[in-house]
C-alpha cells in the first residue's frame, strides 16, 4: 500500500502518524511532486479509508482488501451441534490421524467426550507423501466415525481430498477439513464451498497469510457457511520440530482480524511431548481451540503414530483445557 503526502505538508509528520498506528513505512521519494511512503506488508492491518482521513495524507493506492466475505467475521462457526470461534467455549478437536478400527474410534470418542472435547477428528482419506503408505479406510471409516461421534455427542472433523468425494465427505462431516497440501487446490475449494459446509482450513506448509485468507475467501464466495483457520506449522530450516509453529500469525488472525482460529501442535512439531505445552500457549494467546492427534498404539498406528498423544495423556489434557465441560 502506498500513501502519498499532500503538497507542502511536512512528510515526517505523516510518517510519525503512520508509525503511531503500528505501520512500518519506507520513504519512496520526496520531490516537488510530494512525498510518498510504502506501508510494508507486515504492518498491523488497517482500513485504507482510515488512512485517507489522516491529516496530511493525499491519497492511498494499491490497497487490496484481502477478503470481503471471510473477513471481519468475529463470529463463531457452527459445526453440527457445536460452535467454534470467537465467543464459543474453547474447542478441543482430538482423535487419530487416520481411523483404523471401529472399536478404537468408538472407545476414543467416549473417552474424549467424557473429558470435555466437542470435536472428533480422524482421517478416512489421507494425503500421504508416499503412494505406498496407507491411504485411509475411506467410506467405511466415515461411517465408523459418524456413529462414534453421534454416540458421544461430538461433531465430526474429517478431511476431503478430492472433488470426487466432496458429496460423500460432506454427508458425514460437520466440519470439512482441507489439508495443508490442498489449501490452494481451487477446484476443490469451489466444490466444497458449494456444499454449504463449514471448513477447517489448514495453512499450506509454505503459504503466506494472504494466500491462506484468500483460500478461505474461495470457500465463502462459493457458498461455504464459515471458515476456521488452522495453523499447523510452516516449513523451516530447522529439524528440531517437524514444522515451525507460527504463533505470531495466530495472534494476528485472532486479535487483528477476528477470525476463528485453532492450532494444531501435532503436525507443527511431530512430537507428543510438545503437544500439551503448545496447547496451553495457544489457549493463552487467544486461539479458539486446538486440534491434536491421539492413538493408543503409536507403533501400530497406520499414519503419524510417533506424534500421537497416548489416550490417558489426551484425556488429562482435554480435561485441563476445557475444565471438563462440554
Ligand atoms: C492431518 O490433519 O492428519 C494432516 C494430514 O494434516 P496436514 O494437512 O496439516 O499435513
Ligand atoms: Mn496426521
Amino acid at each position: 500500500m502506498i500513501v502519498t503526502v499532500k503538497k507542502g505538508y511536512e512528510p515526517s509528520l505523516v510518517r510519525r502518524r503512520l508509525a503511531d498506528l503500528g505501520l512500518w513505512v519506507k520513504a519512496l521519494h520526496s520531490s516537488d511532486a510530494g512525498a510518498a511512503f510504502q506501508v510494508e506488508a507486515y504492518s498491523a492491518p488497517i482500513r485504507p479509508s482510515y488512512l485517507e482521513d489522516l491529516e496530511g495524507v493525499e491519497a492511498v493506492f494499491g490497497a487490496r482488501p484481502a477478503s470481503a466475505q471471510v473477513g471481519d467475521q468475529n463470529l463463531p462457526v457452527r459445526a453440527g451441534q457445536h460452535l467454534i470461534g470467537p465467543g464459543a467455549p474453547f474447542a478441543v478437536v482430538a482423535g487419530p490421524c487416520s481411523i483404523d478400527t471401529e472399536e478404537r474410534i468408538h472407545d476414543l470418542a467416549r473417552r474424549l467426550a467424557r473429558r470435555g472435547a466437542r470435536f472428533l477428528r480422524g482421517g478416512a482419506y489421507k494425503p500421504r507423501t508416499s503412494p505406498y503408505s496407507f491411504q485411509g479406510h475411506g467410506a467405511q471409516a466415515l461411517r465408523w466415525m459418524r456413529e462414534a461421534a453421534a454416540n458421544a455427542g461430538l461433531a465430526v472433523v474429517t478431511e476431503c481430498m478430492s472433488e470426487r468425494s466432496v458429496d460423500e465427505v460432506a454427508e458425514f462431516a460437520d466440519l470439512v477439513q482441507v489439508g495443508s497440501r490442498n489449501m490452494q487446490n481451487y477446484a476443490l475449494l469451489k466444490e466444497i464451498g458449494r456444499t454449504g459446509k463449514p471448513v477447517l482450513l489448514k495453512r499450506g506448509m509454505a503459504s503466506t497469510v494472504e494466500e491462506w485468507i484468500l483460500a478461505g475467501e474461495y470457500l465463502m464466495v462459493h457458498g461455504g457457511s464459515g471458515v476456521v483457520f488452522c495453523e499447523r506449522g510452516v516449513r523451516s530450516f530447522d529439524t528440531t520440530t517437524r514444522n515451525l509453529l507460527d504463533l505470531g500469525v495466530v495472534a494476528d488472525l485472532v486479535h487483528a482480524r477476528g477470525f476463528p482460529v485453532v492450532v494444531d501442535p501435532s503436525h507443527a512439531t511431530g512430537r507428543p511431548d510438545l503437544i500439551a505445552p503448545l496447547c496451553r500457549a495457544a489457549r493463552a494467546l487467544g486461539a479458539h481451540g486446538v486440534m491434536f492427534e491421539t492413538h493408543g498404539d503409536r507403533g501400530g498406528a497406520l499414519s503419524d503414530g510417533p506424534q500421537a498423544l497416548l489416550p490417558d495423556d489426551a484425556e488429562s489434557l482435554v480435561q485441563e483445557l476445557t475444565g471438563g465441560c462440554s
Side-chain angles (χ1 to χ4, degrees):
M1 186 158 57
I2 292 168
V3 176
T4 60
V5 179
K6 279 189 177 139
K7 252 197 192 144
Y9 200 89
E10 176 50 45
S12 64
L13 292 177
V14 171
R15 179 177 206 141
R16 183 171 303 167
R17 285 193 188 105
L18 295 172
D20 282 346
L21 293 168
L23 304 178
W24 292 82
V25 295
K26 188 167 82 187
L28 287 180
H29 63 81
S30 191
S31 67
D32 290 349
F37 296 108
Q38 174 161 330
V39 179
E40 303 287 7
Y42 46 85
S43 298
I46 194 150
R47 234 175 259 119
S49 58
Y50 188 84
L51 296 184
E52 275 160 3
D53 290 343
L54 275 191
E55 197 186 321
V57 168
E58 174 76 40
V60 179
F61 298 103
R64 277 178 299 145
S67 52
Q69 297 205 27
V70 84
D72 289 334
Q73 291 186 69
N74 240 322
L75 289 169
V77 167
R78 173 163 293 285
Q81 68 275 47
H82 297 303
L83 293 173
I84 179 167
F90 189 75
V92 176
V93 184
C97 179
S98 52
I99 296 161
D100 43 15
T101 74
E102 186 172 14
E103 298 69 40
R104 276 214 176 107
I105 195 70
H106 275 266
D107 178 55
L108 202 54
R110 248 191 321 271
R111 295 179 67 168
L112 295 168
R114 200 169 59 200
R115 301 295 186 164
R118 286 178 298 129
F119 298 85
L120 181 67
R121 66 143 288 148
Y125 294 102
K126 294 303 305 176
R128 305 305 302 280
T129 302
S130 165
Y132 302 109
S133 301
F134 176 64
Q135 305 284 308
H137 281 312
Q140 188 180 42
L142 289 175
R143 283 191 291 274
W144 291 340
M145 193 183 185
R146 179 79 259 170
E147 200 183 311
N151 289 345
L154 299 174
V156 167
V157 182
T158 194
E159 178 162 353
C160 181
M161 280 185 29
S162 107
E163 288 167 66
R164 257 178 305 159
S165 57
V166 165
D167 289 330
E168 182 196 6
V169 173
E171 186 189 333
F172 289 94
D174 295 305
L175 187 60
V176 177
Q177 179 171 323
V178 171
S180 196
R181 292 154 189 82
N182 272 318
M183 190 205 85
Q184 287 182 298
N185 181 341
Y186 300 118
L188 180 64
L189 297 178
K190 288 179 189 175
E191 275 302 292
I192 294 175
R194 187 186 52 73
T195 67
K197 283 276 172 176
V199 170
L200 181 86
L201 182 62
K202 297 194 107 182
R203 183 182 183 181
M205 56 190 79
S207 294
T208 65
V209 168
E210 189 183 28
E211 288 163 346
W212 193 13
I213 292 173
L214 287 172
E217 188 70 3
Y218 262 92
L219 290 161
M220 295 302 286
V221 163
H222 288 276
S225 56
V227 179
V228 178
F229 291 88
C230 177
E231 162 60 28
R232 48 77 76 206
V234 289
R235 280 261 161 93
S236 159
F237 53 89
D238 189 14
T239 53
T240 306
T241 54
R242 188 175 172 187
N243 290 289
L244 180 67
L245 182 60
D246 192 352
L247 289 180
V249 149
V250 173
D252 174 273
L253 262 57
V254 170
H255 297 290
R257 302 175 204 258
F259 292 172
V261 184
V262 306
V263 171
D264 169 358
S266 296
H267 295 87
T269 67
R271 288 174 44 179
D273 61 318
L274 300 181
I275 291 176
L278 289 171
C279 284
R280 293 180 192 120
R283 193 179 58 166
L285 77 72
H288 306 109
V290 289
M291 175 159 92
F292 63 81
E293 291 182 347
T294 170
H295 196 284
D297 176 11
R298 281 186 191 137
L302 296 169
S303 62
D304 281 350
Q307 74 188 23
L309 205 56
L310 294 173
D312 284 349
D313 297 332
E315 278 196 51
S316 335
L317 182 58
V318 175
Q319 169 102 31
E320 178 191 328
L321 294 169
T322 63
C325 308
S326 55

